Amino acid sequence: MNQCSIAYISFDTVPAPKGAAIHITAFSTALASAFNEIQLVTVSPSGTIQTSNNIHPHIQQTMLPAIGNNLINRVLSFRNFLREFLAGKRWKVIQIRSIYEGFIIANNKKQYCDYLIFEVNGLPSIELKYRYPAVADDRELIHKLYTQEQVCLETADLIITPSSVTSAFLQNRGVDINKIKVIPNGVDLDVFTVKENYHHEDIFKLLYFGTFSSWQGVNLAIEALGLINRDFPASLTLIGQGRNAQIKTLENLADKLGVLDKLTILEPVSQVKLVEYIHQSDVILAPLTPNDRNLVQGCCPLKVLEAMATGVPVISSDLPVVRDLGENGLDFLLVKPGSAKAIKDAVLLLRNNQELITTITNNARNTIVNNYTWQKAGLDLINAYTELGIKRLITA
């Protein structure tokens, strides 16, 4: 049987202009820098098996197909290809990110690896209903998801999560706190640079970037746009991934509020291009909604961290997952969750207070530099591996 070192397996497409892909790239690169050869397994964008070492010279990436007209079929397809890929191979460590790839490994841990690391950013028993509302009433499916999650949680030797809220959630599901390590998301400071000469023009420019999932509260940004335009001209740009029905719903809301001509919706862009849009903006919005995904399960909102690094002030919902990242009034402005009026009031406050903008943007950048870089997250990940007894092969 072929003994390898580390495999990082994820039911995600990499590279891609998504937070998950950015996270995976950063973590796999950190592992390669410390442990030499890394096997990265992800979803193939073409529907065929592909290999690449474009991410890093020491990362051998294998992309497996996930074929199907719905999520379940795509997961089953990926699992079948993954079983074939795993045959005859064994690693010192396998790191997974979800049950979609992780369940078959957790069920056969001794066959595939010595150590299993489960990186929990979100769990489908919580999140799936927001993407597919019909499954909320499918108790049998939710039970299956929950059961598979428990198998992975119980089998894993180490659980990595980006938020203290998620850590508490996992403890409530029976996970020993000593098995959990919190490693927040990070920012690439070479990409997310500081905007120079902050000043706003006649039209105040608002920006949201991220997915259009309901837990993100994008509708609140549009409602706030309607309120703001009663007082002064403002525009809103949305950059992210959403289904056609989601985009149509957002456009209909803007039309109903009389601000459709003030709204621009763009597809996901590269991080470099995203920073250009950020630097053209006056405020970044992160109107996360108060639901079980954000309040109970938890998350580490990458959009908030990235925006904090850019010299543009951030307005976000006052939720524990955001409070973990900084201090209200110093690193960002936190507003009542679910309130478009609160967002409007915060925009008004910033628009008329350049001193506050300077304080927030300077403090936010310093907070990111000191606490939330991918370099720091990578070092924390490497330390977690060494604590398991995995010896570094590269020390430079």
Side-chain angles (χ1 to χ4, degrees), residues 269-377:
V269 297
S270 69
Q271 287 193 304
V272 172
K273 188 66 177 177
L274 174 62
V275 173
E276 292 181 14
Y277 283 106
I278 291 175
H279 287 174
Q280 295 167 12
S281 303
D282 298 303
V283 168
I284 309 300
L285 301 181
L288 296 163
T289 56
N291 53 34
D292 59 350
R293 190 269 181 181
N294 293 327
L295 290 175
V296 179
Q297 173 191 266
C299 62
C300 182
L302 183 57
K303 65 173 63 60
V304 174
L305 294 176
E306 291 175 340
M308 287 170 64
T310 62
V312 179
V314 178
I315 297 173
S316 183
S317 301
D318 188 358
L319 301 177
V321 292
V322 183
R323 279 192 172 269
D324 269 358
L325 307 180
E327 189 171 344
N328 186 21
L330 290 180
D331 296 294
F332 34 54
L333 288 185
L334 300 183
V335 300
K336 179 182 178 181
S339 172
K341 181 181 181 302
I343 296 173
K344 183 208 78 168
D345 291 343
V347 169
L348 282 172
L349 178 62
L350 287 172
R351 182 174 180 265
N352 297 316
N353 196 331
Q354 182 61 49
E355 184 178 350
L356 178 59
I357 289 173
T358 301
T359 297
I360 287 176
T361 55
N362 287 344
N363 286 338
R365 176 72 181 189
N366 289 334
T367 294
I368 297 301
V369 169
N370 293 327
N371 302 290
Y372 298 105
T373 63
W374 283 122
Q375 182 180 19
K376 182 180 184 303

Side-chain angles (χ1 to χ4, degrees), residues 114-153:
D114 294 331
Y115 297 98
L116 179 63
I117 297 177
F118 188 9
E119 181 187 333
V120 180
N121 296 280
L123 295 173
S125 64
I126 296 288
E127 296 195 348
L128 200 62
K129 62 180 176 288
Y130 293 105
R131 185 175 179 184
Y132 303 101
V135 309
D137 297 324
D138 191 336
R139 295 184 178 180
E140 182 179 355
L141 175 60
I142 298 299
H143 176 72
K144 287 181 178 179
L145 295 172
Y146 186 95
T147 300
Q148 292 188 18
E149 291 164 2
Q150 284 300 116
V151 169
C152 292
L153 291 171

Side-chain angles (χ1 to χ4, degrees), residues 55 92 94-95 184 224 308 354:
I55 293 177
K92 187 72 175 177
I94 293 181
Q95 182 166 331
M308 287 170 64
Q354 182 61 49

Side-chain angles (χ1 to χ4, degrees), residues 152-270:
C152 292
L153 291 171
E154 292 169 6
T155 305
D157 299 283
L158 173 67
I159 294 172
I160 295 171
T161 187
S163 168
S164 62
V165 175
T166 310
S167 174
F169 168 68
L170 295 174
Q171 291 172 56
N172 287 334
R173 286 193 47 166
V175 179
D176 186 341
I177 188 174
N178 296 313
K179 199 165 81 168
I180 301 173
K181 185 170 183 62
V182 176
I183 304 178
N185 285 326
V187 178
D188 185 341
L189 297 178
D190 292 331
V191 174
F192 287 88
T193 55
V194 177
K195 175 179 181 176
E196 297 180 1
N197 302 321
Y198 182 97
H199 69 279
H200 60 79
E201 300 175 355
D202 292 338
I203 298 179
F204 202 79
K205 297 178 180 179
L206 312 174
L207 176 67
Y208 166 87
F209 58 93
T211 69
F212 297 158
S213 301
S214 60
W215 66 66
Q216 301 283 12
V218 185
N219 60 305
L220 291 169
I222 295 176
E223 291 173 16
L225 178 67
L227 295 175
I228 293 166
N229 271 279
R230 295 178 184 177
D231 295 328
F232 56 86
S235 66
L236 172 63
T237 299
L238 308 177
I239 302 176
Q241 186 172 22
R243 299 189 303 276
N244 290 337
Q246 290 175 314
I247 294 172
K248 186 64 177 177
T249 297
L250 296 173
E251 290 175 335
N252 288 342
L253 175 60
D255 190 29
K256 178 182 177 181
L257 297 174
V259 289
L260 183 58
D261 61 328
K262 311 289 187 182
L263 176 67
T264 301
I265 301 179
L266 303 175
E267 294 183 351
V269 297
S270 69

